[in-house]
């Protein structure tokens, strides 16, 4: 797979202090959060964690991609939601890996249309394009 060349329209900038047990802030001050490992990974669970931030970004981005596809297909996705579950664990090679489950609820279309929209959104979404072939991403329709 070759590296994609893109025409960059926006660049987000965030800086972390003390890794998973510290703080993350964006350069514009709109994001400033305490991060802590979850209790399941031996942390305090007091703050958010990188996986929650990734889940938030992926679900929002995928919902946007769903909107792009719905406009093209003239489908009504009003009232729809996308939930991302991001799992982290040992990869068996001395490091860690992620996996994602995306569940879309699209109440105003039939099941076959919803499935088609989700699959097409997966082709459009920048997060999906960035992770394709690197991590397991399961698509579901609620």
């Amino acid at each position: 797979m070759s590296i994609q060349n893109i025409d960059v329209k926006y660049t987000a900038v965030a800086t972390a202090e003390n890794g998973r047990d510290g703080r993350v802030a964006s350069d514009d001050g709109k994001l400033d959060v305490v991060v802590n490992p979850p209790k399941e990974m031996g942390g305090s669970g007091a703050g958010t964690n990188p996986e929650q931030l990734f889940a938030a970004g992926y679900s929002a981005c995928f919902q946007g991609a769903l909107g792009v596809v719905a406009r093209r297909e003239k489908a009504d996705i009003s009232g729809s939601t996308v939930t991302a579950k991001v799992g982290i664990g040992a990869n068996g090679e001395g490091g860690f890996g992620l996996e994602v489950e995306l569940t879309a609820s699209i109440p105003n279309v039939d099941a076959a249309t919803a499935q088609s929209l989700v699959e097409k959104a997966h082709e459009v979404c920048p997060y999906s394009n960035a992770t394709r072939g690197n991590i397991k991403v399961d698509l579901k329709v609620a």
Side-chain angles (χ1 to χ4, degrees):
M1 179 189 263
S2 63
I3 294 178
Q4 200 176 47
N5 290 315
I6 63 169
D7 179 19
V8 175
K9 302 292 184 200
Y10 168 76
T11 299
V13 179
T15 301
E17 298 172 8
N18 297 320
R20 289 183 153 276
D21 211 358
R23 177 178 161 262
V24 178
S26 61
D27 65 333
D28 62 5
K30 293 180 181 179
L31 178 72
D32 191 342
V33 295
V34 172
V35 290
N36 301 112
K39 289 182 180 181
E40 296 85 349
M41 294 180 67
S44 69
T48 189
N49 59 66
E51 291 70 41
Q52 288 175 325
L53 295 170
F54 186 68
Y58 203 160
S59 63
C61 190
F62 198 88
Q63 178 74 34
L66 190 60
V68 168
V69 171
R71 283 189 291 283
R72 289 180 187 165
E73 305 277 325
K74 297 184 181 6
D76 180 8
I77 65 159
S78 59
S80 65
T81 61
V82 174
T83 301
K85 294 180 181 178
V86 175
I88 184 172
N91 65 8
E93 298 173 7
F96 294 88
L98 300 174
E99 66 179 33
V100 174
E101 178 184 293
L102 295 172
T103 303
S105 172
I106 312 172
N108 295 323
V109 300
D110 61 65
T113 300
Q115 186 65 41
S116 175
L117 291 170
V118 165
E119 289 172 7
K120 290 175 182 176
H122 191 49
E123 296 302 314
V124 171
C125 177
Y127 277 62
S128 292
N129 288 330
T131 59
R132 189 174 336 293
N134 297 310
I135 65 171
K136 178 180 167 187
V137 178
D138 287 331
L139 303 176
K140 296 188 175 189
V141 175

